């Protein structure tokens, strides 16, 4: 206890020595000067951009808003600094409510001029506050009476797995969404895309939640989907004994080729290769080509191949042939 008392006495002597008394006095005057400067500064007039929420109210049950029900407008306000601070950090700006029934004209679109919107904003501002400008210059409202369409979802972006891996399949949950818009927009939209996705260097299935891109005047339900990128290991393989078929043959004629079967080489995933069969590939020789370009050999083409393979190559591109009467 004695040692603690001694320490307190030493601190008291240090704090209230003649030197430190002058220092404390200096700090006190510095604080007073700072408060005075702050008050003078906040009493000056400034301009500040403020975001004000906007919401649409009194929407009938048979109406679907295809623009945002909740949005914001940016207004530049001029007033004393203290008042502007209350708008930025206090509760000075409440949402502005737009009465749907007041502005909707029944044609699916209406635009509220900035001047009209400013009148609504002024109702919640201090009497000394002036609006210098506002963005956007008009508030657009899109709506319809239930017109909708279901469209598939597609992903966009840059998704690259590790070396020797590739994306074998992409799953969407859900794989399609409902869109609400005008009939003209519904006719023009064939699919909806995600916002750009950027992922790299993964080998296992990648699951992401993606927001869908927004289109002016179009409402999408739901607004997000889950996307699963399934991967597989790349391998170079081949399948043999694929028969060559003649196409565009005249009635009564038969095409015979030598050899009659070929091999196709390709790149695919290990698991995908296990399910492939020769019947999945169709190799053809076109009679029209043979007739137009007579030669000892005819060209053959890979006409059909299954999904999930790349870089297909036939073991030969020309074969001997014989056209016989049936």
């Amino acid at each position: 206890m004695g040692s603690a008392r001694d320490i307190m006495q030493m601190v008291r002597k240090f704090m209230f020595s003649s030197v430190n008394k002058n220092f404390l006095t200096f700090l006190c005057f510095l604080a007073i000067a700072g408060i005075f400067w702050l008050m003078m500064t906040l009493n000056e007039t400034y301009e500040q951009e403020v975001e004000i929420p906007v919401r649409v109210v009194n929407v009938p049950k048979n109406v679907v808003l295809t623009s945002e029900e909740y949005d914001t407008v940016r207004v530049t306000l001029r007033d004393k600094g203290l008042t502007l601070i209350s708008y930025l950090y206090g509760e000075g700006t409440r949402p502005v409510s737009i009465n749907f029934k007041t502005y909707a004209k029944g044609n699916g679109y209406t635009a509220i001029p900035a001047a009209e919107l400013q009148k609504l904003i002024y109702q919640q501002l201090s009497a000394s506050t002036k609006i210098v400008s506002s963005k956007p210059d008009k508030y657009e409202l899109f709506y319809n009476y239930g017109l909708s369409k279901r469209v598939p979802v597609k992903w966009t972006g840059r998704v690259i797995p590790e070396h020797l891996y590739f994306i074998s399949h992409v799953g969407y949950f859900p794989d399609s969404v409902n869109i609400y818009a005008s009939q003209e927009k519904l006719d023009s939209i064939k699919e909806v895309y995600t916002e750009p996705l950027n992922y790299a260097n993964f080998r296992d299935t990648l699951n992401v939640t993606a927001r869908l891109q927004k289109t002016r005047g179009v409402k999408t339900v739901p607004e997000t989907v889950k996307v699963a990128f399934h991967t597989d290991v790349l391998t170079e393989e081949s399948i043999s004994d694929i028969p060559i078929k003649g196409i565009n043959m005249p009635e009564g004629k038969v095409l015979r080729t030598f050899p009659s079967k070929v091999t196709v080489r390709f790149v695919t995933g290990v698991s995908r290769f296990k399910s492939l069969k020769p019947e999945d590939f169709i190799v053809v020789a076109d009679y029209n080509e043979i007739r137009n370009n007579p030669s000892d050999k005819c060209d053959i083409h890979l006409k059909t191949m299954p999904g999930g393979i790349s870089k297909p190559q036939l073991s030969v591109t020309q074969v001997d042939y014989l056209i016989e009467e049936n």
Side-chain angles (χ1 to χ4, degrees), residues 197 199 206-210 225-229:
L197 304 176
Y199 297 92
L206 174 67
N207 295 287
V208 298
T209 299
V225 296
K226 292 184 178 180
V227 186
F229 296 92

Side-chain angles (χ1 to χ4, degrees), residues 132-143:
V132 178
S133 63
S134 61
K135 300 176 184 177
D137 57 358
K138 60 183 177 181
Y139 185 85
E140 296 182 303
L141 190 61
F142 294 88
Y143 59 95

Side-chain angles (χ1 to χ4, degrees), residues 147-197:
L147 287 176
S148 67
K149 176 182 177 181
R150 195 159 184 84
V151 294
V153 176
K154 303 292 183 183
W155 72 275
T156 59
R158 183 175 178 270
V159 180
I160 303 175
E162 286 185 5
H163 181 59
L164 297 181
Y165 284 79
F166 78 110
I167 298 172
S168 61
H169 173 67
V170 179
Y172 301 92
F173 310 94
D175 60 0
S176 56
V177 295
N178 290 324
I179 59 172
Y180 296 83
S182 65
Q183 189 62 58
E184 180 182 0
K185 287 185 178 293
L186 290 178
D187 293 339
S188 65
I189 298 175
K190 306 303 180 184
E191 58 268 322
V192 174
Y193 293 92
T194 68
E195 292 182 348
L197 304 176

Side-chain angles (χ1 to χ4, degrees), residues 154 156 192-196 211-215 218 220 223:
K154 303 292 183 183
T156 59
V192 174
Y193 293 92
T194 68
E195 292 182 348
R211 295 190 63 84
L212 298 177
Q213 293 183 15
K214 293 184 177 181
T215 303
V218 179
T220 305
E223 295 181 342

Side-chain angles (χ1 to χ4, degrees), residues 232-258:
D232 200 353
V233 180
L234 285 172
T235 181
E236 187 172 352
E237 300 290 349
S238 65
I239 288 184
S240 304
D241 297 328
I242 301 173
I244 301 173
K245 299 180 179 180
I247 60 173
N248 297 319
M249 299 299 298
E251 187 177 354
K253 293 185 181 293
V254 176
L255 175 69
R256 300 191 186 278
T257 62
F258 309 94

Side-chain angles (χ1 to χ4, degrees), residues 89-144:
Y89 304 107
E91 298 181 355
T93 55
R94 299 182 304 277
V96 172
S97 297
I98 294 178
N99 192 329
F100 177 86
K101 296 180 179 179
T102 301
Y103 298 98
K105 299 183 173 100
N107 60 356
Y109 171 80
T110 188
I112 303 167
E116 186 71 21
L117 200 58
Q118 289 178 14
K119 291 180 181 179
L120 299 174
I121 296 174
Y122 266 124
Q123 295 176 8
Q124 65 169 8
L125 298 179
S126 172
S128 60
T129 304
K130 301 299 180 185
I131 298 177
V132 178
S133 63
S134 61
K135 300 176 184 177
D137 57 358
K138 60 183 177 181
Y139 185 85
E140 296 182 303
L141 190 61
F142 294 88
Y143 59 95
N144 72 15

